[in-house]
Amino acid sequence: MRPHVNAVKIALLQINPLVGDLTGNARLIADAACEAGRRGADLAVTPELALVGYLPRDLLLSSAFVAGSWEAVAALARDLAHQPAVLVGLPEPNPSDAGRPLFNTAVLLHEGRVGQRFRKSLLPTYDVFDEDRYFEPYHGAQLLERDGRRLGISICEDVWNDRDFWKRRRYHHDPIEDLMRAGADTIVNLSASPFSVGKHRRREEMLSSTARKHRVPVVYVNQYGGNDDLVFDGRSLGFNAAGTPIARGRAFEPDVVICDLDGSAAIVATPGEKDNSADRPESEIWRALVLGTRDYVRKCGFTRAVVGLSGGIDSALTAAIAVEAIGPDQVTGVLMPSPYSSRGSIDDAAELAASLGIRTLTLPIEPAMRAMEATLGPAFDGCPRDVTEENIQARIRGNLLMALSNKRGALLLTTGNKSELSVGYCTLYGDMSGGLAVIADVPKTMVYRIARWLNETRGRAVIPEPTLTKAPSAELRPNQTDQDSLPPYDVLDDILQRHIEQHQPADEIIAAGFDAETVRRVLQLVRLAEFKRKQAAPGLKVTDRAFGTGWRMPIASADPDAQILKPLDP
C-alpha cells in the first residue's frame, strides 16, 4: 500500500502554440498559468515543446533558435515568479560530444527560476514524426517531488508503450514502468498528439488502462490547433487511480483543465459535448478541418481565401469549411463555366454561394480555351483530341484562381479529395493549384457523409440537394462522369482504405471479395500518381495515414502487385 500523500491540483494548459513564435507562445503559457493560479492549481503543465511549438522540424537545427528558447523560458520564469510552478516543454542542448544535439525536455519554472529538467525517452520516427533526427533519448526515471507527492514526469510517446495494452510494442522498454519502480505516485504526461478520426477513444482507453494497471492517477495535457498539415484536438485528460476519468478538456478549443488528484468526482461527458453526436466521425472531421483551415490561414498571415466553385460536392464542402473557419465576408467563390458545364452545375454553385453568404465572381473560360487551341493548334496538328484538352481546361481555371490569389492576397484553397489524389484523378497545375488542400485526406464517400451531416445538423440545405444527388463529374467533356474512369466510389474507397491505411497488398484485398482486375488497376494508379502527390499543396491530416509528411513513398518504383498500365495523364 502506498503512503498517504497530500492533495495536489494540477492544471493542464491546453494552448495553441505557433511554431517558432517564442514571444507569442510564452504569452499563451503565461496567460494560461495565471488562469490556473486563479483557480487554485499547485502545478501547471504545458504540452510537449510548447514554447517552440510542435512540430518545429528543422528549426531545431538552428542553434540560435534553440538558444533563443532558453532566453525566452528564463524570462517566462521571471514573469511567473508569483504563480504556481509550471512545467514547460522546449528543446534542450545535449552537452555531450556524442549523440543527437538536443533533448526533448520539460523544465520546472518556480519562484522566478528555471529548475529541474525532465527528458523524453522514446523518440518516434513513424508517420509524421522524425524525432530521432534531432533528439537524444534519455534513459532513467525522472521524478518531481511536490507537496509530498512523487510525480513521474513523461513526455508524449513515453506513455504509449504499455506491454499489456498493445499487442505489439514499438520499443523494448516502458518508461512508465521505470517511473513506477522509482516510486512515482502520479504520472504526468506532456503531449502534442496529432488528431486522426477516432484516435481520442484509443488514447483515453490506453491512459485509463495505465492508471488502473499501476493504481496511480494519470494526467495528460495535449495542445490544440493546427500547424501545417497537422491538427491537434486537445482533449487533455485526468484519471484517478482506478482509471476513471476525473477531467477532460474541450475538443478543438483552448482550455485550462484542473485535475484535483484526490477530490475530483468521476465525469462522463466532455464539457460542451453532452451527447454522442460530437463523437460521430463526420462531426470530428468537420471540426478538425475547420480548425486546421482557420489556423493555416491565420498562421500563414492570410485573412482571406479563394475557392473555385464547380457545382460539385468537393468544392461545396471546401467552401462551407472556409466560411466556418474565417467567415463568409473573407471567402470569394469563383465560377468558371466552360462549354461543357451543365446549367445545373452553374445553378448549384450559385445556390451554394447564396446559402453560405459569400461573394462570387464568374469568369467563363471559353475565350481562353479558344486562345489555347489557336496557340497549340500547329503543334498538335495530326494529333487526335484526348485528355490533353481536358487538362488544359483545368489549368486555365488554376491560372485564373492563382491570379486572383496573387492580386487579392487571398489563400487559394484546393478542393480535391483523398480518393482522387490516391489514384491521380486530378490535374497538376490545374485543380491541384493552391496553398492548402482542405479535404485532401477525406475520401469521397466521407465527403458526402459530412455534407449530409452538415445539412442535417444545420436544419437546412447548406449544400444544395442536387449537389448531393447528381453523379459526380469533372465536366471536361460531354456527358462525362467520374465512373467513366474510376470504380464506384464506395468500392474505390474501400480498396484504398485497406491498401493505404491497413497496408494490405493486392492478394489480401482480392481475398476479401474484391474484383482482382479492379484491385490491381487501383493499386497501380496509386503508385503512378506518386509524382503528383509530391507536388500537391499541403493537406490537413484527419486519417491514420495521409499523403503528407508521414507518407514517404518513392516516385520511381516497381509494384509487383499491379498490372502494367499506361501512366495516368498528368
Side-chain angles (χ1 to χ4, degrees):
M1 178 175 291
R2 295 183 179 279
H4 174 75
V5 292
N6 294 328
V8 171
K9 288 185 178 181
I10 299 179
L12 310 179
L13 309 185
Q14 187 171 294
I15 60 173
N16 183 359
L18 169 60
V19 172
D21 185 5
L22 300 176
T23 301
N25 295 341
R27 189 180 307 113
L28 287 175
I29 294 168
D31 290 346
C34 291
E35 171 66 16
R38 287 190 291 271
R39 295 172 59 185
D42 303 293
L43 173 69
V45 187
T46 77
E48 175 183 18
L49 294 178
L51 189 59
V52 297
Y54 196 88
L55 293 162
R57 297 194 171 98
D58 279 5
L59 285 178
L60 294 170
L61 300 179
S62 167
S63 58
F65 175 68
V66 174
S69 72
W70 282 85
E71 294 171 5
V73 83
L76 180 61
R78 293 190 293 271
D79 291 342
L80 297 177
H82 302 295
Q83 298 299 328
V86 186
L87 279 171
V88 176
L90 78 167
E92 176 193 4
N94 179 4
S96 172
D97 59 1
R100 282 65 165 181
L102 301 168
F103 291 106
N104 186 335
T105 296
V107 297
L108 183 70
L109 310 186
H110 187 49
E111 296 180 341
R113 295 187 297 274
V114 178
Q116 197 172 351
R117 305 177 185 191
F118 308 88
R119 296 159 176 163
K120 188 172 183 176
S121 298
L122 304 181
L123 303 174
T125 58
Y126 59 89
D127 194 38
V128 301
F129 308 107
D130 197 8
E131 293 197 21
D132 190 58
R133 178 180 174 92
Y134 314 103
F135 298 116
E136 181 71 8
Y138 181 81
H139 303 290
Q142 305 162 104
L143 301 182
L144 170 61
E145 300 200 15
R146 299 290 299 172
D147 301 316
R149 297 197 82 113
R150 307 188 77 194
L151 308 177
I153 309 303
S154 61
I155 299 177
C156 204
E157 192 81 356
D158 293 347
V159 82
W160 288 77
N161 202 44
D162 188 326
R163 70 177 71 249
D164 296 321
F165 186 83
W166 301 105
K167 290 182 180 179
R168 180 181 178 85
R169 300 192 302 164
R170 290 185 179 274
Y171 312 94
H172 294 287
H173 84 282
D174 181 359
I176 304 306
E177 290 181 350
D178 295 343
L179 292 173
M180 298 312 301
R181 282 193 291 268
D185 56 53
T186 302
I187 301 298
V188 177
N189 186 261
L190 294 77
S191 274
S193 182
F195 167 82
S196 62
V197 63
K199 180 180 177 181
H200 72 284
R201 297 189 193 93
R202 183 168 70 251
R203 189 165 58 202
E204 186 160 335
E205 290 168 2
M206 178 194 70
L207 294 169
S208 174
S209 173
T210 297
R212 287 196 309 274
K213 173 180 176 178
H214 297 295
R215 292 178 290 177
V216 297
V218 172
V219 296
Y220 157 96
V221 57
N222 190 28
Q223 75 178 39
Y224 92 97
N227 279 324
D228 292 351
D229 57 331
L230 301 183
V231 180
F232 299 86
D233 56 326
R235 289 169 164 151
S236 300
L237 293 161
F239 299 86
N240 63 21
T244 304
I246 58 173
R248 191 184 284 118
R250 295 185 179 91
F252 306 104
E253 296 179 22
D255 210 349
V256 174
V257 184
I258 302 296
C259 297
D260 186 339
L261 298 186
D262 297 287
S264 292
I267 60 170
V268 294
T270 305
E273 298 185 8
K274 299 187 181 301
D275 58 53
N276 292 330
S277 63
D279 267 356
R280 284 178 56 177
E282 299 90 342
S283 174
E284 272 206 300
I285 294 173
W286 168 264
R287 297 181 71 185
L289 295 176
V290 168
L291 176 58
T293 301
R294 178 184 299 130
D295 273 1
Y296 192 92
V297 171
R298 176 178 63 88
K299 292 180 178 182
C300 291
F302 292 93
T303 58
R304 296 178 289 179
V306 174
V307 184
L309 299 183
S310 67
I313 187 68
D314 297 323
S315 63
L317 182 60
T318 301
I321 291 165
V323 165
E324 187 80 1
I326 62 175
D329 293 344
Q330 304 303 319
V331 179
T332 299
V334 186
L335 287 70
M336 296 167 287
S338 80
Y340 306 117
S341 299
S342 68
R343 183 72 252 172
S345 291
I346 296 170
D347 291 344
D348 291 344
E351 184 180 344
L352 172 78
S355 171
L356 296 176
I358 63 175
R359 67 176 67 87
T360 62
L361 291 171
T362 300
L363 305 176
I365 69 168
E366 187 173 7
M369 291 170 62
R370 289 198 301 265
M372 291 291 283
E373 275 193 31
T375 300
L376 290 168
F380 286 179
D381 186 40
C383 299
R385 294 181 68 88
D386 58 16
V387 73
T388 304
E389 283 75 15
E390 297 179 19
N391 288 337
I392 286 172
Q393 295 173 56
R395 290 182 178 126
I396 290 169
R397 290 184 171 118
N399 244 330
L400 295 175
L401 290 169
M402 283 305 305
L404 290 170
S405 173
N406 292 162
K407 186 63 70 175
R408 299 185 174 200
L411 180 68
L412 174 56
L413 303 178
T414 72
T415 62
N417 61 64
K418 188 174 189 176
S419 308
E420 296 169 348
L421 195 60
S422 297
V423 296
Y425 194 66
C426 47
T427 304
L428 276 173
Y429 327 120
D431 56 317
M432 294 178 69
S433 297
L436 177 66
V438 175
I439 60 170
D441 197 32
V442 184
K444 186 77 166 190
T445 49
M446 180 57 74
V447 171
Y448 279 102
R449 286 174 57 182
I450 296 171
R452 292 190 176 97
W453 166 88
L454 180 63
N455 285 357
E456 172 192 323
T457 56
R458 299 297 165 87
R460 66 183 183 90
V462 177
I463 294 176
E465 188 63 24
T467 300
L468 291 165
T469 56
K470 66 187 177 186
S473 171
E475 294 192 330
L476 299 173
R477 64 175 183 265
N479 304 314
Q480 181 184 24
T481 68
D482 291 1
Q483 263 59 76
D484 295 340
S485 305
L486 301 173
Y489 277 117
D490 57 343
V491 174
L492 176 64
D493 284 353
D494 201 345
I495 294 171
L496 292 173
Q497 199 275 340
R498 291 168 181 271
H499 182 58
I500 293 168
E501 296 185 41
Q502 299 180 36
H503 312 283
Q504 291 183 9
D507 290 347
E508 192 171 335
I509 300 173
I510 293 166
F514 293 87
D515 174 71
E517 183 179 354
T518 300
V519 170
R520 296 190 187 281
R521 177 174 175 79
V522 168
L523 268 56
Q524 177 77 341
L525 292 176
V526 171
R527 185 185 68 79
L528 292 174
E530 191 60 41
F531 78 104
K532 291 187 179 183
R533 291 190 289 269
K534 286 291 191 293
Q535 301 177 68
L540 299 174
K541 182 182 187 298
V542 296
T543 68
D544 287 339
R545 198 171 192 218
F547 296 126
T549 51
W551 180 265
R552 307 179 191 188
M553 288 292 182
I555 295 175
S557 67
D559 185 352
D561 276 335
Q563 300 175 18
I564 302 301
L565 301 174
K566 176 183 180 291
L568 196 67
D569 194 277

